[in-house]
């Protein structure tokens, strides 16, 4: 067997660890981040150690037949403990440190038990894929197998019950993450149950080794990936939501920036465009450029044009003051941007003519941008503090 599935699954989990590593370095004292990274790292170790080529290599290099088995069982046990600690810190509460220490101590005892049972037992024949069923009746080795499976099943069951029960009390990304985590824990429980069923069948003189080699492997792979996905959803989801909102706002602001492009270029008011940046960074860049242009045009805003356009927009928009303000601002900004290079003084109501305003479609797009992200201080214009010729 090539172990390709194991290696691919482990690589995906370690990739998640690499993504979270910068956060852990910056906040190394955060127990929640440490628990997440431990879950990702240990889950990857489980798959790596459980791959048949790795099993053979460990046994050959160490010179101890089946040494890879207790190492794999130990990694699974450590992963179970990390998952429990993660749930504890995720939920919070006044006794998180005490509860997490109890889980760690309990699974440390399981680790000691696994090491002790393997040392006392005798497993001379190397079994890379079916050690659980092959040695299910061997003294001490059988106890070691049952011990690690019971510990893993207990952790998976507690995680499933806790996450699904908590999911009924929350909403949004957290609920999605908890439901996904619960499903992953159910798959993890399927791994232990299928292994235990194969062991019990061996005790009864039957051969159900396919449960311990095929079904359990599929359940473990699906469970680990789903569990890790569930833990990452509440972290990644809100960021994706912010990026989506920033991307929409960035797109809606494009007509306004395009209208101000002449001013931005002529007066060198636009900052260098960021490359390979997040939607939030690009939105900040566009807002800053627009703000610079509007600050430059402040003295050229025509208060009279604003009032007249606002009154007309109120009648057309059915009395919606927010929309009317946006349309009035759009007209004022568009006229100021077009007239600014030809004038050395502020615009006045006497300068205004209908053909200087943009068409209704362009005006509507600029107004949409102003509604989605109000970047100008409308209160200054309405209060008469803006410097204009008609003020």
């Amino acid at each position: 067997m090539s172990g390709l599935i194991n290696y691919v699954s482990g690589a995906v989990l370690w990739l998640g660890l690499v993504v979270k590593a910068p956060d852990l370095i910056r906040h190394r004292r955060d127990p929640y981040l440490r628990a997440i990274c431990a879950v990702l790292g240990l889950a990857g170790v489980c798959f790596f150690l459980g791959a048949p080529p790795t099993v053979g290599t460990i046994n050959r290099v160490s010179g101890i037949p089946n040494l890879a088995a207790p190492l794999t069982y130990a990694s699974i046990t450590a992963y179970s403990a990390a998952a429990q600690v993660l749930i504890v810190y995720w939920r919070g509460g006044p006794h998180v440190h005490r509860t997490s220490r109890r889980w760690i101590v309990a699974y440390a005892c399981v680790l000691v038990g696994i090491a002790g049972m393997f040392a006392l037992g005798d497993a001379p024949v190397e079994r890379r894929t079916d050690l659980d069923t092959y040695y299910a009746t061997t003294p001490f080795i059988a106890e070691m197998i049952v011990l690690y499976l019971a510990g893993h099943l207990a952790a998976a069951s507690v995680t499933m019950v806790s996450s699904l029960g908590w999911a009924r009390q929350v909403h949004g990304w957290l609920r999605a993450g908890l439901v996904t985590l619960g499903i992953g824990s159910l798959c993890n429980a399927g791994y232990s149950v299928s292994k235990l069923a194969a062991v019990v069948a061996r005790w009864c003189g039957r051969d159900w080794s396919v449960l311990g080699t095929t079904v359990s492997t599929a359940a473990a792979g699906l469970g680990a990936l789903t569990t890790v996905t569930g833990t990452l959803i509440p972290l990644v989801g809100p960021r994706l939501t912010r990026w989506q909102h920033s991307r929409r706002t960035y797109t809606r602001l494009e007509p306004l920036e395009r209208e101000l492009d002449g001013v931005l270029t002529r007066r060198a008011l636009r900052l260098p465009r960021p490359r390979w940046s997040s939607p939030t960074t690009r939105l900040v860049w566009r807002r800053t450029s627009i703000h610079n242009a509007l600050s430059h045009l402040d003295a050229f805003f025509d208060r009279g044009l604003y009032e007249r356009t606002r009154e007309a927009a109120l009648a057309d928009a059915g009395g919606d003051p927010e929309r009317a303000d946006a349309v009035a601002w759009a007209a004022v900004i568009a006229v100021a941007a077009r007239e600014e290079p030809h004038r050395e003084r502020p615009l006045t109501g006497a300068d205004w003519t209908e053909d200087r305003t943009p068409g209704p479609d362009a005006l509507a797009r600029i107004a949409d941008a102003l509604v989605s992200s109000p970047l100008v201080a409308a209160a200054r214009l309405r209060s008469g503090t803006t410097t204009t010729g008609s003020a």
Side-chain angles (χ1 to χ4, degrees), residues 238-309:
R239 182 176 300 179
L240 292 177
T241 299
R242 290 193 299 270
W243 283 1
Q244 185 180 14
H245 174 74
S246 297
R247 189 177 293 108
R248 286 199 302 264
T249 305
Y250 178 85
T251 302
R252 293 187 67 179
L253 286 174
E254 182 180 3
L256 178 57
E257 186 193 11
R258 191 185 310 118
E259 190 66 35
L260 298 170
D261 183 69
V263 178
L264 290 167
T265 304
R266 189 167 51 253
R267 303 296 180 180
L269 298 174
R270 182 185 278 115
L271 297 175
R273 187 184 185 93
R275 297 182 180 273
W276 307 105
S277 56
S278 67
T280 302
T281 301
R282 292 197 296 271
L283 175 61
V284 170
W285 169 79
R286 177 161 281 178
R287 281 177 166 169
T288 302
S289 299
I290 293 173
H291 176 76
N292 292 342
L294 294 179
S295 297
H296 174 76
L297 293 175
D298 183 74
F300 295 88
F301 290 155
D302 185 351
R303 180 178 176 82
L305 173 60
Y306 172 83
E307 297 293 349
R308 291 190 296 274
T309 308

Side-chain angles (χ1 to χ4, degrees), residues 301-303 306 329 332 377-386 388:
F301 290 155
D302 185 351
R303 180 178 176 82
Y306 172 83
W329 263 113
V332 170
R380 289 189 304 159
L381 187 61
R382 287 196 294 269
S383 63
T385 58
T386 299
T388 64

Side-chain angles (χ1 to χ4, degrees), residues 19 48 97-98 118 137 140 151 158 177 197 201 218 236 270 295 301 303 307 320 322 335 337 343 358-359 378:
V19 171
F48 179 76
H97 297 295
R98 182 189 307 172
F118 182 77
T137 58
F140 297 110
V158 171
V236 178
R270 182 185 278 115
S295 297
F301 290 155
R303 180 178 176 82
E307 297 293 349
D320 183 356
E322 182 180 10
V335 170
R343 296 182 178 273

